[in-house]
Amino acid sequence: MRTIIITGASDGIGAVASALLADDATRLVLVGRSPSKTRAVASRIGAEHHVVDFEHLDEVRDLAAALGSSCERIDVLAHNAGGIFSGPTSTADGFEKTLQVNHLAPFLLTHLLIDRLIDSNAAVVSTSSIGALFGRIDLDDLNNWTNFRPNKAYGDAKLANILFTKGLHERFHGDGLSSVAFHPGIVATNFAADTTSYFRHVYHGAFKGLLTPPEGGGANLAHFLAGTPGRDWISGEYYNSRQRIGRTNRQASDPALIRRHWDLTEQMLGIASERTAG
C-alpha cells in the first residue's frame, strides 16, 4: 500500500486530487488548516487527516512527529499548501507570512521527515506556479521586509519551491529521493482572496469563468502524485504542464543561488542537514 501525504488538502485542487487518488491500494493522509473542511474531505473519501496551520512552525513540528510515529513509510509527500497574502505580516515565528506558509513550513516538514522519505525512496511534489516569473529573490531579504509587494512575495515563494525541488534533487536523489515542482494551471479556487493583489480581481472577478476548474488543477496534481519518477516525470525539474518541462525564472537555473538559498533557509529555521547526498 502506497502512503501519500497531501498538504493543502481541505479545499481546491488538494481536495480534488485526494478524491482522485483514493482507492484500496493507497493510504491517504490529508493535512489542512480548516478543521471542518479537512474533516469533511477526509471523511468523504475514507482518508486520515491532521489539522495544521503553517503560520505556526510548532504545529509543523508536531505534524512531523505524528507522521513519523504513524507512517512506517511515506511514498509521496505533496506540498500543496500556500497562497498569496497582503502584508508584510509577521508570524509568531518572526517570519513573513507569505514566505513561511509557502516555503519555510514545507521545507521544515521535509527536513524533519527526510530519513523516512529516503528510506521509502519517496517523491516530494511541490505545487509551484507560473507566478515564479514575478519573483526576484534577494538573499539579503528573503522575507521581503524592505520592499514587500504581494505579487513579488508570492513570486519569490513559488520560485523558492522550484529552488527547493532542485536542491532536494542535488542533495538526495543519489539516495533514492525524487522531487518535482509543477504549475497546476490558473485554477478557479479561493486563491488570492486574502490580498490586495490584482490577482484577486482575476480569480474572483469577471475573469473567473475563464479559469481552469478545480477538477482540472486537481487532476494535474494527481498526475504527479501517482506518477513514477523517471517515467512520468524527471526528478529535479519544474513542469508547466503534465508532459512539458517548463521555462521559469532564470534564477532557478543558478546552481550557486540554489545552494545559498538552501543554506539560508536552514539558518533561518535553525536546522542543518543531517544527511548528505549519496
Side-chain angles (χ1 to χ4, degrees), residues 138-201:
D138 178 356
L139 295 178
D140 294 321
D141 186 22
L142 292 184
N143 283 288
N144 279 300
W145 295 127
T146 303
N147 294 302
F148 184 93
R149 298 188 305 280
N151 289 355
K152 180 185 184 301
Y154 176 72
D156 284 359
K158 294 292 101 180
L159 176 54
N161 296 154
I162 301 173
L163 302 185
F164 174 55
T165 293
K166 292 181 178 295
L168 277 173
H169 176 83
E170 179 181 12
R171 284 165 175 77
F172 302 117
H173 189 61
D175 290 323
L177 184 72
S178 299
S179 59
V180 68
F182 78 104
H183 171 56
I186 302 176
V187 184
T189 66
N190 287 328
F191 178 79
D194 182 26
T195 181
T196 57
S197 166
Y198 62 76
F199 281 127
R200 177 170 183 158
H201 303 291

Side-chain angles (χ1 to χ4, degrees), residues 87-184:
T89 301
S90 179
T91 68
D93 300 287
F95 303 113
E96 205 288 312
K97 178 179 176 179
T98 310
L99 179 71
Q100 179 165 321
V101 172
N102 288 279
H103 172 60
L104 295 178
F107 189 107
L108 177 61
L109 181 60
T110 306
H111 166 79
L112 295 172
L113 295 174
I114 194 66
D115 289 334
R116 188 63 45 85
L117 293 168
I118 290 174
D119 291 344
S120 305
N121 291 324
V124 178
V125 178
S126 297
T127 302
S128 182
S129 171
I130 196 172
L133 290 168
F134 294 101
R136 182 169 178 78
I137 287 176
D138 178 356
L139 295 178
D140 294 321
D141 186 22
L142 292 184
N143 283 288
N144 279 300
W145 295 127
T146 303
N147 294 302
F148 184 93
R149 298 188 305 280
N151 289 355
K152 180 185 184 301
Y154 176 72
D156 284 359
K158 294 292 101 180
L159 176 54
N161 296 154
I162 301 173
L163 302 185
F164 174 55
T165 293
K166 292 181 178 295
L168 277 173
H169 176 83
E170 179 181 12
R171 284 165 175 77
F172 302 117
H173 189 61
D175 290 323
L177 184 72
S178 299
S179 59
V180 68
F182 78 104
H183 171 56

Side-chain angles (χ1 to χ4, degrees), residues 20-68:
L20 291 173
L21 294 169
D23 59 37
D24 292 339
T26 304
R27 177 186 179 186
L28 286 173
V29 184
L30 311 186
V31 180
R33 184 168 63 92
S34 165
S36 59
K37 288 183 178 181
T38 307
R39 186 184 309 112
V41 173
S43 176
R44 189 162 57 244
I45 63 175
E48 303 167 43
H49 75 280
H50 296 270
V51 176
V52 179
D53 187 345
F54 277 12
E55 289 186 51
H56 301 277
L57 293 181
D58 279 346
E59 294 190 23
V60 177
R61 296 182 181 97
D62 290 343
L63 171 64
L67 294 173

